[in-house]
Amino acid sequence: MSADAVEITLSGPERAPLPVSVAKPIKTISEAGKAAQSRISDEAASPVKASEPTGRTSTGRPLSPGDAGALRYAVSIVGHGALRTPLHSWERAWDWAMLSHLREGGTHRGAVAEKHAAIYTKLQQDRAARAGAVVKFAALPWITRVRVGKFPLAFGAWGVTAGEVAYLASPSHPFLSTVMGGLNGLLADAVAAVASLASPVALPAAGILGLAMIGGSIRQEHDRRRAQMRIRDGADVGVMQDGELLPAIPISDCSTPQAAMEAVRRALAIEKISVRPLSASATAWGWEVVVQMRKGQPGDITRAGADLETLLDVREAGVLTTPHRDRRARVTLRIVESDPWADMPSMPDYAALGRSVRDSIWLGQRLDGAQINTAFASKHSLILAASGGGKSILLRSIADGLGAASDTHIWDLDPSGVGQAPQAAVMGRVALDPEDCERALTDAVAIAVARTRLLRKLGMGDSWQATPERPALAVIVDEYPRLTSAAREAAVSLLRIGRKAAVFLIFASQDAKKDTLGDSIAGQVAFRAAGPGLQDWQADLLFGAGARSRGWDPGRYQPATSADSPNDAGTFYVAGAGEDMALPMKVGYMSGATAQTRAEQYAAMGLCPLLDAGTLTAAGLDEASVYVRTDADEIEAAPVTLELVSAPIPDEALALLVAIAQDVQSWSTEWVPAAELASMAATRMGWEQGKTAEMRTAALLDAADIPSRRRSTGMVRPRAALLTAAGRDLLATP
């Protein structure tokens, strides 16, 4: 079978009666074009089976002789049909003689199908022999009459026939094989046919035959016109081919590669995109179909993605387009019918692997089944996703892999006040407000500058060699656009000088704007990840201009809207993690509780090294100034000095302190979260739980001068201060 033809085998209700050639030009029928044409009865014109329901009553009406439009139509088809009689007759004759049903595309123009070659040869020989015998027998009464001018014809006809008989008796004779093998009886048949024209009945027979041919040609023209002008409903949208409407085929009805190729071809043809299907392969989640474009650009298919999803009847973002880099005209379409990440592996356990910052971190699984692993050593990164897109999950996976490395020191910076709270145990520094983030980034620049001066002195060559004694510094900066202008300038400086000093940044944001996240950031990062809900210009920042037309289209995926509606959260396009292929990746999921357990395990194993003293000294810093290894979740190590104040506590605040004193005394740690205090207050004071209770509790405790501190998990207050203000004995049992 040639590459230009496919044979359709469908499992659904839409079945093609004959093989369909994909090499033929295809015309699409637009709604406007159909409305502009004459309204003709759907039932009378449609070549589709009459038993197929249309879903509504036909809007056409039957033609009548008194209708001027019908008369014009009749004159037109009679005229065109009569004029095209020779062409139609020639086509029919060749279709009959050449056994078109055994050829590619069901037409005599196609090559003989390889699997039908033997059958074709045998049928052709039998048909030629039978035709020659019938014609000779019919002409026998006239060609044997010896009349003037007829004897040469009879002699020639029977002479050639005698040669055929001799050739059949001795097919290996060189002369007969050359001459008679080429003629194959056609000359004798032609002579007999010419001689038969002298018969008295030949002229009427020829006239009847001619009228039949003209009538058949007119009917063929009529069927072709009616097929083009019929009025169809939305369920029968398709493409016209050889006067027949080929409807769109849902991909779920395809059970063979040939059927999938034809379904894709028809869907693209309806969108006025002409392609030649090359191959198709079934996957666990759907189909991969490779097509070659006859004109246009791969971006035409990408822009038609939403319409293709409707025509193929798949889920949203169920048609993915990947242009080939080496062959611009070729495109791979991946049609997703089921969950492609149903077989996602679990997160690897890094605890006992003796990891380094140079080791790869598993991030997730790509649509084609490839596992995405990459190392972040001296690799700046940028992660963008809309709110609910799964950005925090991807950061959590990266932080988990870096936290398990014995030669990596991590800082957690988040001006929005959230940070990577579950993994605080592996964070050497936590900054949760814009000013602290600015100081941290300024210190990181100083460390990078100092290390560039120490490279030659330590004999490290061109770049800093991270070891447990001199670890790399990974700075995670979440919500980059909320940084102060000075902090952003420090981050840009760090991008330029930090890589060789083993100081690398991992940026993340959910609401990046063009004025805060431009080429100064996106153009200098090696690892880029784009999650659900991004706009086209944001994808262009990460993957270059025209990213969507090249298949990088994260905006088609929807972020989570609630815990009950995860949608496509965690689906990312990534570049800089091995082969850059425009296919989405699903991030490996790790819950906050699991991340906290693993982080505490890494800390207990001593896998969170301190920055080396030589670097800090060269940078003009000390441990206290940079909060090196100051765990925000272990503030108990820095006790708060309680001072009795002379100012009296307001009555309402004192009443609150007395009411919650028993609950506070039962608290197991020395620092009580503000959220827990609000819950205690609402329960004891009869308030409604919620934000109002939190704000009211905070205001009363502030009025009582109860100190507070910000931790990675939120605000906390010292248990001792709360009990002292309430007049409780710290040693008393609850």
Side-chain angles (χ1 to χ4, degrees):
M1 185 174 288
S2 68
D4 287 343
V6 297
E7 193 167 332
I8 307 171
T9 304
L10 302 180
S11 61
E14 302 290 353
R15 298 181 180 272
L18 288 175
V20 181
S21 171
V22 299
K24 296 184 180 180
I26 296 174
K27 298 184 294 181
T28 58
I29 303 278
S30 65
E31 295 297 329
K34 288 190 281 187
Q37 296 178 2
S38 301
R39 293 184 172 272
I40 302 174
S41 171
D42 188 28
E43 292 81 356
S46 174
V48 184
K49 296 180 181 179
S51 60
E52 294 180 1
T54 60
R56 63 183 182 183
T57 305
S58 173
T59 57
R61 58 182 178 82
L63 300 177
S64 63
D67 191 325
L71 291 176
R72 287 194 299 270
Y73 173 80
V75 172
S76 176
I77 64 167
V78 169
H80 285 82
L83 292 176
R84 293 180 180 178
T85 297
L87 176 61
H88 292 165
S89 301
W90 177 267
E91 291 282 348
R92 289 196 186 95
W94 273 102
D95 283 343
W96 180 86
M98 302 301 290
L99 299 172
S100 60
H101 64 287
L102 298 177
R103 291 174 171 268
E104 302 287 2
T107 173
H108 68 270
R109 296 186 182 91
V112 177
E114 183 178 354
K115 62 181 180 181
H116 296 151
I119 301 176
Y120 175 86
T121 303
K122 182 65 169 60
L123 290 178
Q124 192 76 309
Q125 291 174 350
D126 294 344
R127 181 172 283 186
R130 288 195 301 269
V134 170
V135 171
K136 292 172 190 176
F137 181 79
L140 184 62
W142 295 278
I143 63 177
T144 55
R145 294 177 184 177
V146 181
R147 297 179 181 177
V148 178
K150 280 213 167 181
F151 181 78
L153 293 176
F155 180 80
W158 288 105
V160 173
T161 302
E164 292 181 20
V165 174
Y167 170 66
L168 293 174
S170 180
S172 61
H173 193 281
F175 175 76
L176 293 176
S177 177
T178 303
V179 178
M180 304 309 299
L183 294 175
N184 194 20
L186 295 179
L187 179 59
D189 299 339
V191 172
V194 172
S196 68
L197 293 178
S199 171
V201 299
L203 188 59
I208 294 174
L209 178 62
L211 290 176
M213 294 170 61
I214 293 174
S217 180
I218 292 173
R219 178 55 186 265
Q220 184 173 344
E221 178 69 14
H222 169 69
D223 291 342
R224 186 184 69 84
R225 296 280 190 92
R226 295 292 289 269
Q228 288 181 340
M229 293 189 295
R230 63 184 160 178
I231 300 172
R232 311 296 297 172
D233 63 10
D236 293 322
V237 172
V239 293
M240 294 302 303
Q241 182 168 294
D242 294 336
E244 181 183 2
L245 181 72
L246 301 180
I249 304 173
I251 198 66
S252 59
D253 288 349
C254 300
S255 58
T256 65
Q258 290 79 11
M261 293 162 64
E262 178 64 10
V264 170
R265 183 188 74 88
R266 291 189 189 183
L268 290 171
I270 292 172
E271 296 302 316
K272 299 182 180 180
I273 302 174
S274 179
V275 300
R276 180 166 66 97
L278 300 179
S279 65
S281 59
T283 66
W285 40 262
W287 292 92
E288 290 185 353
V289 181
V290 180
V291 300
Q292 181 163 341
M293 301 188 67
R294 299 183 184 278
K295 64 177 182 178
Q297 301 178 1
D300 298 338
I301 300 180
T302 303
R303 284 186 287 272
D307 294 330
L308 294 177
E309 291 162 9
T310 301
L311 294 170
L312 295 172
D313 193 19
V314 295
R315 55 154 285 174
E316 187 177 3
V319 178
L320 304 176
T321 304
T322 307
H324 292 202
R325 291 185 176 182
D326 54 341
R327 301 285 294 272
R328 181 172 175 79
R330 295 193 177 184
V331 178
T332 297
L333 285 87
R334 292 175 172 85
I335 304 159
V336 181
E337 297 183 81
S338 59
D339 185 6
W341 294 288
D343 59 345
M344 276 277 290
S346 58
M347 290 289 298
D349 186 4
Y350 299 129
L353 298 181
R355 291 177 54 80
S356 167
V357 69
R358 290 177 287 274
D359 294 331
S360 296
I361 299 174
W362 182 77
L363 301 179
Q365 179 175 300
R366 205 166 56 193
L367 181 76
D368 59 353
Q371 304 302 314
I372 305 302
N373 300 271
T374 188
F376 287 86
S378 299
K379 180 188 290 186
H380 300 305
S381 307
L382 178 58
I383 302 170
L384 294 182
S387 177
K391 169 180 59 67
S392 298
I393 301 300
L394 181 54
L395 282 175
R396 187 176 295 169
S397 297
I398 296 173
D400 182 76
L402 294 175
S406 61
D407 55 0
T408 309
H409 185 79
I410 312 174
W411 288 1
D412 179 20
L413 314 183
D414 185 355
S416 67
V418 180
Q420 304 303 308
Q423 296 163 304
V426 297
M427 301 299 174
R429 181 171 185 173
V430 177
L432 300 177
D433 59 63
E435 292 73 20
D436 287 345
C437 291
E438 179 181 334
R439 287 191 290 269
L441 287 170
T442 303
D443 292 345
V445 171
I447 290 173
V449 172
R451 284 187 167 181
T452 56
R453 295 197 301 263
L454 292 173
L455 285 175
R456 181 175 298 180
K457 179 179 179 181
L458 297 175
M460 290 187 177
D462 294 335
S463 60
W464 188 270
Q465 303 300 315
T467 63
E469 293 75 24
R470 297 186 177 93
L473 174 58
V475 183
I476 299 175
V477 183
D478 201 357
E479 298 305 334
Y480 166 81
R482 299 191 184 186
L483 293 174
T484 64
S485 58
R488 290 199 294 269
E489 292 176 2
V492 172
S493 299
L494 199 57
L495 286 175
R496 300 189 180 115
I497 64 175
R499 188 175 61 84
K500 290 187 176 183
V503 179
F504 53 95
L505 288 166
I506 301 173
F507 291 105
S509 177
Q510 66 181 16
D511 56 356
K513 302 295 190 299
K514 288 185 178 180
D515 56 345
T516 58
L517 185 64
D519 295 336
S520 59
I521 297 293
Q524 299 186 56
V525 295
F527 176 82
R528 291 149 287 157
L534 292 188
Q535 301 179 25
D536 289 348
W537 69 264
Q538 292 173 314
D540 290 346
L541 276 178
L542 291 173
F543 307 117
R548 183 185 177 192
S549 64
R550 291 183 283 110
W552 304 91
D553 194 9
R556 297 180 63 192
Y557 291 93
Q558 300 299 319
T561 55
S562 67
D564 298 329
S565 302
N567 294 329
D568 302 310
T571 305
F572 282 80
Y573 285 82
V574 297
E579 180 185 9
D580 291 345
M581 183 175 291
L583 285 178
M585 173 198 75
K586 191 72 169 182
V587 177
Y589 178 74
M590 180 169 53
S591 66
T594 301
Q596 181 174 351
T597 301
R598 291 166 68 121
E600 292 172 353
Q601 182 182 7
Y602 300 153
M605 295 173 62
L607 298 179
C608 307
L610 301 175
L611 290 173
D612 57 290
T615 294
L616 296 180
T617 301
L621 304 171
D622 55 30
E623 294 186 0
S625 64
V626 296
Y627 303 101
V628 174
R629 198 57 186 158
T630 300
D631 294 335
D633 286 339
E634 299 296 337
I635 310 180
E636 292 84 350
V640 176
T641 302
L642 303 178
E643 297 181 0
L644 297 178
V645 294
S646 57
I649 299 176
D651 294 339
E652 187 177 3
L654 182 59
L656 172 64
L657 289 168
V658 172
I660 66 174
Q662 184 175 353
D663 295 329
V664 172
Q665 195 162 9
S666 302
W667 194 254
S668 59
T669 63
E670 294 303 318
W671 292 85
V672 186
E676 294 295 334
L677 290 171
S679 178
M680 297 174 189
T683 302
R684 297 294 184 180
M685 304 294 289
W687 301 339
E688 182 180 355
Q689 297 279 359
K691 193 68 177 179
T692 302
E694 294 181 9
M695 297 174 63
R696 188 173 182 181
T697 302
L700 292 175
L701 295 180
D702 288 341
D705 288 333
I706 305 298
S708 63
R709 288 195 178 179
R710 181 184 293 276
R711 296 172 60 179
S712 59
T713 54
M715 297 297 297
V716 293
R717 295 181 188 267
R719 174 174 171 270
L722 292 166
L723 294 177
T724 301
R728 285 291 186 102
D729 185 357
L730 297 179
L731 300 179
T733 57

